[in-house]
Amino acid sequence: MNLKWYLMSIIIFIGKYIHCQTCTSLNAWPIVNTNWSSCPILSDGTLTTNNVYAECMFLTVPIDWNSNNLTTCSSTIEIFVKRYFVSGHQNTSHHLWRIPGGGGIPISTLEFEAMSVVSALSGSVSIYMTDKRGVGRSSLLECPKSIVANLTNCLPFIEQNQYRLKHNTYTNTAYDLEYVLNVIMGKNRENIQRNQRVILMPSSQGTYLVQRYLLVTENAEQVDAVIFDSILPTDATILTHGDKHLNYVFLDLFGRCAQNQQDCAKYFEDENPLRALYSYKMNEDLLDQSSCLYLLNTSTTELANKMSFMLYPQTMPLLPALIFRINRCNDNDQRVLKHFLNATQPPQQDGAEGFSILVEINNNLAELWSSLDTSKGNDSSCEYLKGISMNTFASTHVMPDTYCPIQQTGRLGYPTDKFYRKYPTKKTQLPVLLLHGDMDQALPVSIPRHFAKQYSRVNSKFTYIELPRTGHTPTSASPTSDEAVICGWNLAITFIQSETFEADRSCLKKINEIDFGGKTSSTKQVAVQYFGTDDIWDVDKSSRGNTMEITVLSYVFGIIFIVIKHNE
């Protein structure tokens, strides 16, 4: 027994001695050689399509990039990197780095996009992507049980991972990106040719991360250009106002309906769809036995939630017709509304492979959660948010129902640093293109206009393009009359390929009109999906014509009758 104890003591001592001896300070994390290996282009195991291939690798980074404390023994995590290329062009093409939106969304969600774009550009551009720390195939950090469905069950996991959560910051993630780029390009771009361009293209919340990256690298710019696909400015932390902003876009939709007399406004009393919208809200909030929503065993709150999932260019034309049907509420309307309530479901991200709702909520509470009036207590603040969501036509209720209870536990979030809410101060001529839709349901146009005003003060090569009739993230929300072209992507690609980084704006004139009438095949398809019929208004045009003819004939016969009586 004593011998066993003695041997164990020697082993522990030697281990500590070796550990101590091998831990040396580092001025900078060592740049390693790339170690690409072949991997499937799709998560289902597909290896190649249309001569597009993929390669992957893992890189080790410190959990905390604090340069004063980096040693060879610093705690580390793995970062997953993937690239898509046409065979034979992987070392000669431009590098386009795609960064998905959302704090916890993996790059696997962009694999079809990457494959399609690389194939269409015939090898001139390769797409590079990296899962953010804690997300996807990078060292995943996600509750084994849903944090949204049951916060209590997730709390022990949160406690066990407090160290990683504390350092899972936007700043550390920005340093991860800088390091990954250094490995692939070389510290001084020695791994790529002089004519190869390196361009960052983040979407939505990914733009917040890239703004942090531009801050931490402003004294040593790595890339040749940046394309922002919908912008979340660093100084506009507005998650608490999400439902309010969603409601603005919903009202704007009905304003556009009012301007379209032929296909939308004519269906409403006095050709006033906005008045019909407010009539719907007032009538249905009463929820008495004559209420259409009462007959369907639902409420304006549930319907507001369902309609919030529809504010996209392809589906939003259905919403005025939905309100029209509720106000009319005949048997056909009730069947359509039942179908709509069953078919309209929230996006399934919680629990999906590679998603980390925990990382997203942790980062959001730390940096994107607007300050509420904490002097009145958290309960009062959350009640305020609940009131905002209750008094809208379209609302997700995510902030009061999900974020508020998590905030009240005080277990998530981290202290902000010197970069928080800051814009770069150093003047630059880095070409930067901002694409933003004028019907962006998450970030209304006042937000990108604010960013453009602020950022253009330090960057003379900044270009802002506002796309008409376009929703959130123009790369997916700006369909055109040419079904093979998405205007947002066309602007991005022409910007990349232009010698002077100028986007070809000609596609802006081709962005689809809002199909309120339900005339196009794409609108008919979504109508069948959400309404169960491709006739979104269910107004018999022949009946309308017959009614008009009968009215005219009655008028004529009335005149004849008067003339006869007068002659008598």
Side-chain angles (χ1 to χ4, degrees):
M1 185 73 176
N2 290 336
L3 178 62
K4 182 178 179 182
W5 179 88
Y6 175 76
L7 290 174
M8 288 297 296
S9 299
I10 293 295
I11 291 170
I12 292 170
F13 174 78
I14 292 173
K16 288 183 176 179
Y17 177 77
I18 293 173
H19 181 75
C20 179
Q21 290 298 305
T22 56
C23 292
T24 56
S25 295
L26 293 171
N27 292 326
W29 198 251
I31 304 297
V32 300
N33 292 325
T34 57
N35 188 25
W36 294 111
S37 61
S38 296
C39 58
I41 59 172
L42 299 178
S43 301
D44 65 6
T46 302
L47 291 176
T48 178
T49 298
N50 295 330
N51 203 30
V52 177
Y53 292 83
E55 290 180 336
C56 301
M57 69 174 169
F58 290 90
L59 294 172
T60 301
V61 299
I63 287 180
D64 184 10
W65 280 98
N66 185 336
S67 58
N68 296 325
N69 297 325
L70 285 180
T71 73
T72 54
C73 298
S74 294
S75 297
T76 62
I77 53 174
E78 280 193 321
I79 300 296
F80 176 68
V81 187
K82 188 171 185 177
R83 66 175 178 177
Y84 292 80
F85 57 89
V86 170
S87 181
H89 295 267
Q90 58 266 44
N91 296 320
T92 59
S93 56
H94 299 310
H95 294 194
L96 178 60
W97 284 85
R98 282 293 281 128
I99 299 171
I105 297 178
I107 60 173
S108 58
T109 58
L110 297 179
E111 57 189 18
F112 285 100
E113 174 196 275
M115 180 182 66
S116 302
V117 171
V118 169
S119 176
L121 297 177
S122 305
S124 62
V125 171
S126 295
I127 289 187
Y128 287 71
M129 297 188 286
T130 177
D131 274 324
K132 295 183 281 287
R133 55 169 55 202
V135 179
R137 295 183 64 187
S138 295
S139 299
L140 186 62
L141 184 59
E142 176 66 327
C143 291
K145 298 181 180 178
S146 170
I147 186 174
V148 175
N150 194 322
L151 171 61
T152 303
N153 286 342
C154 190
L155 290 177
F157 180 84
I158 291 173
E159 290 295 329
Q160 293 166 14
N161 291 275
Q162 276 297 317
Y163 179 76
R164 278 189 64 189
L165 285 165
K166 177 184 176 183
H167 293 104
N168 210 92
T169 67
Y170 277 104
T171 298
N172 273 328
T173 307
Y175 282 124
D176 292 343
L177 181 57
E178 179 189 27
Y179 177 74
V180 170
L181 285 166
N182 273 333
V183 169
I184 293 171
M185 294 189 303
K187 184 75 172 178
N188 298 304
R189 295 176 65 119
E190 62 268 16
N191 296 341
I192 61 175
Q193 299 176 17
R194 183 173 296 179
N195 63 344
Q196 284 181 273
R197 290 176 167 176
V198 180
I199 295 154
L200 297 180
M201 186 176 174
S203 293
S204 189
Q205 196 168 318
T207 67
Y208 187 93
L209 169 62
V210 169
Q211 289 171 80
R212 183 64 49 86
Y213 162 85
L214 292 176
L215 264 174
V216 302
T217 62
E218 68 176 346
N219 292 319
E221 292 180 350
Q222 287 181 300
V223 299
D224 299 297
V226 174
I227 302 170
F228 289 126
D229 181 31
S230 287
I231 191 74
L232 176 59
T234 57
D235 62 340
T237 51
I238 43 76
L239 284 182
T240 51
H241 297 136
D243 283 345
K244 186 188 293 185
H245 290 161
L246 194 72
N247 198 50
Y248 293 156
V249 175
F250 189 86
L251 290 170
D252 180 43
L253 175 69
F254 275 74
R256 293 172 189 246
C257 169
Q259 294 172 348
N260 187 331
Q261 198 280 332
Q262 181 61 34
D263 291 328
C264 197
K266 71 178 182 182
Y267 294 109
F268 295 94
E269 184 179 356
D270 298 328
E271 298 182 356
N272 193 333
L274 282 167
R275 182 184 296 168
L277 179 62
Y278 282 97
S279 296
Y280 141 78
K281 182 71 170 168
M282 289 186 287
N283 292 338
E284 298 299 333
D285 274 345
L286 294 173
L287 212 63
D288 60 18
Q289 293 186 7
S290 64
S291 159
C292 195
L293 299 187
Y294 176 87
L295 296 174
L296 298 170
N297 195 30
T298 187
S299 65
T300 56
T301 300
E302 182 183 358
L303 195 71
N305 190 232
K306 298 283 188 179
M307 289 193 296
S308 73
F309 309 141
M310 301 283 289
L311 278 173
Y312 299 94
Q314 294 84 353
T315 51
M316 64 171 60
L318 303 184
L319 295 176
L322 187 74
I323 298 302
F324 170 79
R325 283 177 175 276
I326 293 173
N327 286 341
R328 186 176 60 183
C329 201
N330 62 27
D331 291 341
N332 282 342
D333 295 331
Q334 291 181 42
R335 280 192 289 271
V336 164
L337 291 166
K338 286 178 183 178
H339 187 95
F340 174 82
L341 293 169
N342 290 328
T344 312
Q345 300 298 328
Q348 293 299 316
Q349 293 185 1
D350 191 29
E353 185 176 358
F355 282 79
S356 179
I357 305 303
L358 176 60
V359 165
E360 179 143 358
I361 292 176
N362 184 59
N363 289 1
N364 288 354
L365 285 175
E367 301 206 31
L368 300 178
W369 175 262
S370 293
S371 299
L372 297 171
D373 187 359
T374 54
S375 64
K376 297 181 180 179
N378 284 335
D379 289 337
S380 173
S381 298
C382 290
E383 287 302 314
Y384 168 73
L385 277 186
K386 196 170 292 184
I388 290 178
S389 296
M390 289 288 291
N391 289 299
T392 54
F393 294 104
S395 52
T396 64
H397 289 265
V398 168
M399 294 306 124
D401 293 351
T402 301
Y403 273 76
C404 271
I406 293 173
Q407 181 199 36
Q408 289 174 329
T409 67
R411 307 290 180 89
L412 289 179
Y414 52 78
T416 54
D417 57 29
K418 63 182 180 180
F419 300 111
Y420 179 59
R421 297 181 69 86
K422 295 292 193 302
Y423 286 94
T425 56
K426 186 177 181 180
K427 298 285 185 179
T428 180
Q429 291 191 333
L430 177 71
V432 173
L433 172 65
L434 168 56
L435 306 175
H436 208 100
D438 73 346
M439 295 190 74
D440 190 318
Q441 71 278 17
L443 300 164
V445 290
S446 59
I447 290 173
R449 291 172 183 173
H450 164 78
F451 174 85
K453 181 179 180 180
Q454 298 298 319
Y455 186 65
S456 60
R457 294 173 178 173
V458 297
N459 190 342
S460 59
K461 289 291 185 69
F462 170 71
T463 302
Y464 172 43
I465 299 179
E466 192 169 290
L467 287 77
R469 301 177 300 283
T470 297
H472 190 53
T473 60
T475 53
S476 61
S478 54
T480 66
S481 51
D482 180 353
E483 294 184 0
V485 175
I486 299 293
C487 187
W489 261 112
N490 191 71
L491 290 163
I493 294 304
T494 55
F495 174 81
I496 294 168
Q497 295 178 332
S498 165
E499 290 186 5
T500 55
F501 288 104
E502 294 181 8
D504 179 357
R505 305 181 186 224
S506 59
C507 69
L508 294 173
K509 299 177 182 178
K510 301 176 183 178
I511 294 176
N512 290 341
E513 298 292 332
I514 302 173
D515 182 23
F516 289 114
K519 298 175 180 178
T520 65
S521 58
S522 58
T523 305
K524 288 181 183 296
Q525 288 173 3
V526 296
V528 170
Q529 179 182 351
Y530 291 104
F531 280 12
T533 173
D534 65 359
D535 185 354
I536 67 174
W537 294 97
D538 189 26
V539 175
D540 190 337
K541 297 178 178 59
S542 61
S543 296
R544 286 172 60 87
N546 291 340
T547 301
M548 186 174 293
E549 289 173 10
I550 291 170
T551 302
V552 171
L553 287 173
S554 298
Y555 177 73
V556 172
F557 285 132
I559 292 176
I560 294 173
F561 178 77
I562 292 171
V563 171
I564 293 172
K565 292 293 289 183
H566 177 74
N567 290 337
E568 289 179 349

